[in-house]
Amino acid sequence: MKILYLPKKWILAIILFICLGMGTWYVVKPEAVETAGSPAASKRLVINMVTGEFKSQLENGKEIEAYRWDPGTIHIPYDQPVTLSIYGVNGKEHPFFIEGTDVKGTVVKGKETVLHLRFKKQGIYRLICKTHSDISHNGPMIAYLVVD
């Protein structure tokens, strides 16, 4: 039987290398990796909406349609910066305002409208399209922004 003799310095060096290797692995171990965006953008919640349209035909042949924001209800954190991105899919344009605020604009088909919002008061705010305000104008085209 052979006995392997290691000097004390070698044993300490091996232990040191093992500890150093484990420490390095702990610091650089792979976790969730951001694949897009920048650090500044990741701090702001981004909510995406689109304009939508429903069409149908009555028995007498008359065509009816209705427009909507999709999703129709979104939750927004109170007193936090939020980016609301609305992409125009259906309808030529949708002039809008957010009830209870000074926010207004227009969503145009094929274009993105971006709003940077921060609500200082909790509650339910309505995003209302001026063109499609009621049934007689193919609406109401209203989304609910729930701030809590």
Side-chain angles (χ1 to χ4, degrees):
M1 176 193 271
K2 289 187 176 182
I3 297 177
L4 180 64
Y5 172 78
L6 291 174
K8 196 176 194 181
K9 289 181 185 179
W10 283 42
I11 294 172
L12 290 175
I14 291 170
I15 292 172
L16 180 66
F17 282 119
I18 290 172
C19 289
L20 185 63
M22 290 176 68
T24 302
W25 174 82
Y26 180 78
V27 171
V28 297
K29 69 181 175 184
E31 290 184 15
V33 177
E34 186 175 342
T35 58
S38 65
S42 66
K43 293 179 183 174
R44 180 181 287 268
L45 175 64
V46 177
I47 298 172
N48 296 291
M49 295 181 90
V50 296
T51 60
E53 175 184 22
F54 291 101
K55 286 187 178 184
S56 184
Q57 194 171 47
L58 299 175
E59 289 180 16
N60 64 6
K62 180 182 176 188
E63 189 174 88
I64 58 174
E65 60 187 19
Y67 290 89
R68 62 170 280 146
W69 305 106
D70 191 26
T73 302
I74 58 173
H75 290 266
I76 297 175
Y78 164 72
D79 199 23
Q80 296 295 316
V82 173
T83 298
L84 179 58
S85 167
I86 309 172
Y87 186 68
V89 176
N90 296 104
K92 182 178 178 183
E93 65 179 22
H94 300 279
F96 68 87
F97 64 97
I98 298 177
E99 193 174 56
T101 71
D102 295 332
V103 178
K104 58 185 175 181
T106 301
V107 176
V108 178
K109 185 175 188 173
K111 297 193 179 195
E112 178 185 33
T113 299
V114 178
L115 305 171
H116 299 287
L117 305 170
R118 184 180 206 129
F119 290 90
K120 299 284 188 176
K121 186 176 175 189
Q122 294 181 349
I124 299 174
Y125 297 82
R126 297 188 315 161
L127 172 64
I128 301 172
C129 174
K130 294 179 188 178
T131 303
H132 307 293
S133 57
D134 56 32
I135 291 174
S136 65
H137 295 98
N138 302 326
M141 186 176 180
I142 298 173
Y144 298 91
L145 313 179
V146 180
V147 178
D148 53 13

